Amino acid sequence: MATVREPDAASDYLPARMLNEFVYCPRLYFYEHVEGVFVHNRETVEGALRHAKLDDGKGELTPADELAADDKLHSRSVTLASETHRLIAKLDLIEVAGGAVVPVDYKRGSPREDRKTGELIAWDPERVQLAVQGLVLRDNGYTCDEGVIYYVATKQRIRVPIDDALVAETLAAMQAARDVAAAGVIPPPLVDSPKCPRCSLVGVCLPDETTSLRLHKTNGQPVQQTLFEVDPPLSAQALDRPAEEEEIRRLVPARDDLRPLYLNTQGLRVGKSGYVLKLQEKETVVQEVRINEICQLNLMGNIQITTQAVQALCEQETPIAYFSMGGWFYGVTHGLGVKNIYLRREQFRLADVPGFCLRLARALVAGKIRNQRTMLQRNHVEPPASALAFLKEMQLDAERAEAFDVLLGIEGNAARVYFQHFAGMIKLDDPIAPRGEAADFNFDFRNRNRRPPRDPVNALLSLAYSILAKDLTIVSHTVGFDPYLGFYHQPRYGRPALALDLMEPFRPLIADSAVLSAINTRMVTDRDFVRAGESVALRPEGRKGFFRAYEQRMDTLVTHPIFGYRVNYRRVLEIQARLLARVLTGELTTYPVFTTR
Ligand code: SF4
């Protein structure tokens, strides 16, 4: 049996599956076909498993001119292309009978009912995908007048005539899809669509959030928000919208089931067997962790990892982050990641536009100062009125700063006053854990010092900022940014400047808060520190306690100030990075810096 020639995968053929996505939602098509973004959800995993079974076929099909009228054949997993239309399709099953061929496409769901006739029919995206299969078969010399969708859930075959009307509809969709790709502008999200909750890319697309920011109205007039206004424009104006517009659906889970894994024991070795990481101390396996249950692997200090484990984690797009023993963040290994060059191109272009950089920097710094003020208000044993007033003044000054050096000065002044009162948020009854002997360390805090940190609170703060920078570096990669090119923080070798930019408003809310919680709930005690020269660092047990406090904070549900739904901080980081990406690519003109009340 001859094998039908497979087309060159690197050519510009439009895949049938992508035309299905285009008809379902042009934005989904743009993400997958143009930007190369793909995310699995339950539906896509089930689909992949189903196709893996079907792919058992040899991909062979008797050439059209060798088919006999009485041939009855089944061919599975055949890839064919149409030179005429520049279309390509992988066909699950081709049934050959009576000299004609019928493509059979497997789908997980169920058919829909025609509203007028009550007849069971196939969904539009599936009809179009099947028509592409018919077209590529015809272009290869076969007679193909109909196809079949086989719905796995209901075990039903639905026949689809590939007639002139469907062919015309398919070719029009094909042209529209090509035009969208050529224009290079992402189509807007569907509005309030029931398709979105089922879409695998809903967490990337943020349809309701994007629509809300795009269509934002005040006093009945559409307005383009001034770029990056921080406070109060977006949250206050949101109240002007009609009540029915206020509800924004939370279409992504509030928290992720995957957890970061921190390894802290010096000399540990990470290997893998199948899809399980094996953590070994000398020859003994001390722990086993499924790769698909973690979202990142953090190696603190001298921990070895095998090439096989690195490869498996890269394949799974699970980043590996490296720290020194003291918590200094060195870098990340990750898979091939997002192939979205358009975002990076805009990031590089806008990083050279001083006005853009300054407006964004103003908003980020003002947001941080506002959050510092909120921290003192909420957590200080006796919130100092003069400091709160000063921080309010600094926030307003930051929003108006006319140059970077002015902004840096404002940021420094705000930080000085905030840290002057930081000790008032440490609420240990007895700051030194009782143990009947003189303590080497305590949680007295006078000022912020670093490189090296010279007391326990500063050691905790440095570690917290380092881990948060790592998390935002990973988020930046995930979204498709270059984390090393920022708008406020200047480029410096090895410095994840964009991650540091994004981190500004979250320093008080996540890092400082995790430090306070670690101390106040005694997850870390004065025994957990060690001094080397001037420097104070955490012992392994102390680091473990701090990671617990940090992860608890990351997992805390918080109400998004603009969208009004509750998500954990880990999700918030990604949402904010994705919104910034929208601003860079021009889809949004407003970046709502994250602040809490
Ligand atoms: S979430 Fe909705 S708008 Fe966004 S890509 Fe998916 S279907 Fe389209």
Side-chain angles (χ1 to χ4, degrees):
M1 185 180 287
T3 304
V4 176
R5 185 177 61 83
E6 289 214 0
D8 172 12
S11 65
D12 64 345
Y13 294 92
L14 184 62
R17 195 175 65 79
M18 285 300 140
L19 211 49
N20 173 322
E21 306 289 35
F22 180 79
V23 175
Y24 186 82
C25 168
R27 188 174 172 90
L28 176 63
Y29 156 82
F30 192 91
Y31 273 128
E32 294 198 346
H33 186 62
V34 181
E35 294 194 354
V37 179
F38 195 81
V39 176
H40 277 298
N41 66 4
R42 213 187 84 212
E43 277 91 354
T44 61
V45 169
E46 283 176 10
L49 290 173
R50 196 170 52 249
H51 283 101
K53 278 190 202 157
L54 293 168
D55 282 353
D56 283 351
K58 295 193 180 116
E60 292 175 339
L61 177 65
T62 305
D65 54 6
E66 293 175 22
L67 273 185
D70 57 351
D71 272 349
K72 272 193 152 224
L73 304 168
H74 278 104
S75 292
R76 290 185 187 277
S77 204
V78 177
T79 300
L80 288 174
S82 157
E83 296 294 332
T84 312
H85 302 297
R86 310 299 286 170
L87 289 168
I88 184 169
K90 186 161 192 178
L91 294 86
D92 291 339
L93 172 65
I94 300 169
E95 294 174 346
V96 181
V101 295
V102 175
V104 180
D105 205 33
Y106 284 64
K107 296 293 178 202
R108 69 179 279 283
S110 47
R112 74 185 174 95
E113 202 178 302
D114 188 304
R115 281 208 193 116
K116 284 189 199 145
T117 63
E119 187 192 352
L120 289 181
I121 54 174
W123 298 88
D124 286 348
E126 296 163 353
R127 286 172 52 248
V128 166
Q129 184 174 359
L130 201 58
V132 173
Q133 300 187 358
L135 285 173
V136 298
L137 282 163
R138 287 181 191 176
D139 215 34
N140 281 272
Y142 298 94
T143 301
C144 176
D145 298 324
E146 67 168 11
V148 168
I149 307 277
Y150 179 72
Y151 289 97
V152 176
T154 59
K155 297 193 170 57
Q156 286 171 309
R157 285 167 66 98
I158 300 294
R159 294 192 172 274
V160 178
I162 303 177
D163 53 20
D164 290 350
L166 180 56
V167 168
E169 188 187 333
T170 303
L171 293 180
M174 179 193 77
Q175 192 51 50
R178 288 200 198 285
D179 290 347
V180 164
V185 177
I186 190 165
L190 304 178
V191 176
D192 204 21
S193 169
K195 293 178 183 176
C196 297
R198 302 179 49 220
C199 173
S200 64
L201 289 187
V202 67
V204 173
C205 167
L206 302 175
D208 286 17
E209 294 83 344
T210 304
T211 302
S212 158
L213 291 173
R214 280 164 62 98
L215 301 181
H216 189 62
K217 294 180 180 178
T218 52
N219 305 324
Q221 299 295 318
V223 289
Q224 287 287 298
Q225 291 288 331
T226 308
L227 258 182
F228 312 128
E229 289 208 54
V230 182
D231 173 39
L234 269 177
S235 43
Q237 288 173 9
L239 301 176
D240 297 340
R241 289 188 298 166
E244 65 271 19
E245 283 186 28
E246 279 178 22
E247 184 93 351
I248 293 180
R249 298 173 298 171
R250 181 176 57 71
L251 298 174
V252 289
R255 29 168 77 100
D256 208 327
D257 290 339
L258 306 182
R259 291 278 173 267
L261 176 63
Y262 292 90
L263 300 181
N264 186 25
T265 308
Q266 301 309 292
L268 204 66
R269 192 181 144 84
V270 183
K272 74 130 205 157
S273 169
Y275 286 97
V276 175
L277 292 180
K278 305 241 175 202
L279 315 184
Q280 253 177 280
E281 271 186 89
K282 300 216 168 86
E283 296 311 310
T284 313
V285 174
V286 290
Q287 200 183 344
E288 295 189 342
V289 183
R290 282 181 192 283
I291 290 177
N292 61 6
E293 287 178 359
I294 60 172
C295 61
Q296 49 177 260
L297 173 65
N298 298 284
L299 307 179
M300 319 289 297
N302 300 324
I303 295 170
Q304 313 305 318
I305 180 163
T306 63
T307 311
Q308 290 87 337
V310 172
Q311 282 169 354
L313 289 161
C314 282
E315 246 172 48
Q316 190 81 15
E317 291 292 342
T318 304
I320 309 163
Y322 307 93
F323 297 83
S324 71
M325 235 185 296
W328 183 258
F329 172 43
Y330 286 128
V332 187
T333 299
H334 56 86
L336 294 175
V338 182
K339 301 161 197 110
N340 178 2
I341 192 61
Y342 303 106
L343 173 59
R344 262 170 286 169
R345 189 176 61 188
E346 287 308 297
Q347 183 188 357
F348 276 71
R349 186 178 71 76
L350 287 166
D352 278 338
V353 178
F356 180 92
C357 295
L358 181 61
R359 275 181 296 165
L360 179 55
R362 281 199 297 234
L364 292 167
V365 172
K368 175 170 85 169
I369 297 173
R370 178 177 164 154
N371 289 338
Q372 287 174 327
R373 186 172 180 274
T374 306
M375 281 288 289
L376 287 179
Q377 251 173 340
R378 278 196 199 157
N379 302 304
H380 197 282
V381 65
E382 200 175 341
S386 61
L388 296 181
F390 182 78
L391 289 175
K392 180 78 194 167
E393 200 183 313
M394 290 298 100
Q395 179 198 327
L396 296 174
D397 285 354
E399 287 170 14
R400 294 187 294 253
E402 291 196 344
F404 278 105
D405 53 349
V406 176
L407 189 60
L408 278 167
I410 294 167
E411 186 187 9
N413 286 336
R416 182 176 42 75
V417 168
Y418 170 70
F419 282 115
Q420 253 171 21
H421 296 279
F422 194 83
M425 296 190 281
I426 297 174
K427 295 176 191 162
L428 283 173
D429 297 337
D430 173 3
I432 302 170
R435 61 178 196 216
E437 60 188 70
D440 292 330
F441 295 103
N442 60 45
F443 290 112
D444 280 353
F445 179 81
R446 293 201 167 76
N447 55 26
R448 176 84 182 107
N449 57 60
R450 61 210 177 108
R451 293 192 197 158
R454 295 189 287 278
D455 58 75
V457 178
N458 274 296
L460 283 167
L461 286 170
S462 292
L463 180 59
Y465 297 143
S466 191
I467 297 177
L468 185 54
K470 172 268 302 180
D471 276 330
L472 279 159
T473 302
I474 288 170
V475 166
S476 303
H477 271 302
T478 306
V479 172
F481 285 115
D482 182 331
Y484 293 93
L485 183 66
F487 299 96
Y488 179 38
H489 290 84
Q490 294 309 300
R492 191 194 296 157
Y493 184 78
R495 172 156 89 165
L498 181 73
L500 298 178
D501 285 358
L502 287 166
M503 178 169 148
E504 289 294 2
F506 294 106
R507 281 175 184 263
L509 299 180
I510 296 178
D512 299 354
S513 181
V515 168
L516 290 168
S517 152
I519 298 170
N520 291 344
T521 62
R522 295 193 190 277
M523 280 191 242
V524 175
T525 72
D526 62 303
R527 296 171 187 232
D528 289 321
F529 296 88
V530 61
R531 188 183 299 280
E534 277 216 309
S535 160
V536 169
L538 279 133
R539 295 178 192 276
E541 274 311 301
R543 276 203 295 271
K544 225 184 242 176
F546 178 71
F547 295 148
R548 242 186 15 251
Y550 179 84
E551 286 308 324
Q552 270 181 14
R553 186 60 185 163
M554 279 298 227
D555 201 35
T556 303
L557 292 179
V558 56
T559 302
H560 195 287
I562 309 297
F563 306 133
Y565 54 54
R566 283 170 77 69
V567 277
N568 72 3
Y569 271 109
R570 197 170 279 290
R571 275 252 189 269
V572 167
L573 295 185
E574 188 175 331
I575 290 172
Q576 292 302 115
R578 291 202 183 280
L579 292 178
L580 181 61
R582 300 286 150 75
V583 173
L584 265 55
T585 53
E587 192 178 5
L588 293 178
T589 54
T590 304
Y591 178 60
V593 171
F594 189 91
T595 56
T596 55
R597 300 217 172 112

